[in-house]
Amino acid sequence: MNGPSPQHRAECDCKEFYGGKCIWPECKSSAVRDDDPAFVKYWLRLGVSRYFIERTAARIYNEAFKGIQMLIHDHKLPALIEHAKIEASEGTCHRLQVGAVIVRDGRIISSGRNGAASGQPHCKIEECFPDGPACRRAVHAEANAIAFAARHGVATEGCAIVSTDSPCLDCARLIINAGIKAVYYSREYRDVKPLEELKRAGIYTQIV
């Protein structure tokens, strides 16, 4: 062995470990980070590699949520994504069109798209455009779907949400508090931290 590569030192990308322990003790990926969950910090301090911890946690997560996956049968997901895309096409935010539907027992009970709050001026093309600064007017699709259900007394406890895009952090927290148990999406938001927060809250996530 000639020693770890720079990439390995940065990312533990070579995945060389024995018994859960990285063979290169200086591997930086095994350093404890401030934002690590408590159980990750515990095992890292025992010398277990980050790669091994993450893969083991993923296996446990997938086993635990096998039942929740049946909230929506796989054959229905493409059609539900298409419904979300139709919602997105009616969004009034020029920066990004996003649509979402909330589903119980395979049936849509609420929907939303990103755009200005009811009765408020829509986004202006000169203020809101693709790859431009964050939109200040739009309410996100997931938030609108949850708000519509709440306004009409429709319970979202135990439901799933199907969206064109994975949620931002604020929407992820709304999803948690709405009692939604699964999130399906077709594009990944640029920040994966919201998905991590959903998983920590026990919510199943899946890209479709």
Side-chain angles (χ1 to χ4, degrees), residues 48-198:
V48 179
S49 75
R50 182 177 295 278
Y51 172 79
F52 185 82
I53 295 169
E54 290 176 351
R55 294 303 180 273
T56 302
R59 285 197 296 271
I60 293 170
Y61 175 83
N62 289 334
E63 285 296 320
F65 288 97
K66 276 183 178 177
I68 288 180
Q69 292 181 48
M70 296 307 293
L71 281 170
I72 300 179
H73 292 277
D74 286 344
H75 72 277
K76 289 191 174 182
L77 282 170
L80 292 169
I81 287 288
E82 287 304 312
H83 278 290
K85 288 179 178 178
I86 292 169
E87 282 292 327
S89 69
E90 297 182 3
T92 59
C93 178
H94 301 291
R95 188 170 186 271
L96 182 66
Q97 289 184 307
V98 180
V101 294
I102 297 176
V103 180
R104 178 186 288 124
D105 298 330
R107 298 185 180 187
I108 295 170
I109 62 168
S110 185
S111 62
R113 82 266 323 207
N114 62 331
S118 297
Q120 300 303 306
H122 293 308
C123 301
K124 296 179 180 179
I125 189 66
E126 63 271 17
E127 297 175 348
C128 187
F129 50 88
D131 300 321
C135 179
R136 299 292 184 182
R137 292 179 186 265
V139 180
H140 288 188
E142 301 93 334
N144 273 324
I146 292 168
F148 182 85
R151 186 173 182 176
H152 293 278
V154 179
T156 54
E157 180 74 32
C159 291
I161 191 165
V162 181
S163 179
T164 54
D165 298 74
S166 62
C168 68
L169 190 56
D170 286 341
C171 286
R173 289 169 176 167
L174 277 175
I175 287 167
I176 293 167
N177 284 351
I180 290 169
K181 297 302 181 186
V183 176
Y184 301 86
Y185 56 95
S186 61
R187 292 182 301 206
E188 195 167 272
Y189 184 62
R190 62 181 181 275
D191 184 3
V192 297
K193 287 181 181 178
L195 292 175
E196 293 169 358
E197 181 137 339
L198 288 170

Side-chain angles (χ1 to χ4, degrees), residues 18-39:
Y18 294 96
K21 294 188 178 182
C22 181
I23 62 173
W24 304 114
E26 67 269 45
C27 179
K28 291 181 181 178
S29 71
S30 291
V32 178
R33 302 170 187 163
D34 291 339
D35 60 346
D36 280 330
F39 80 94

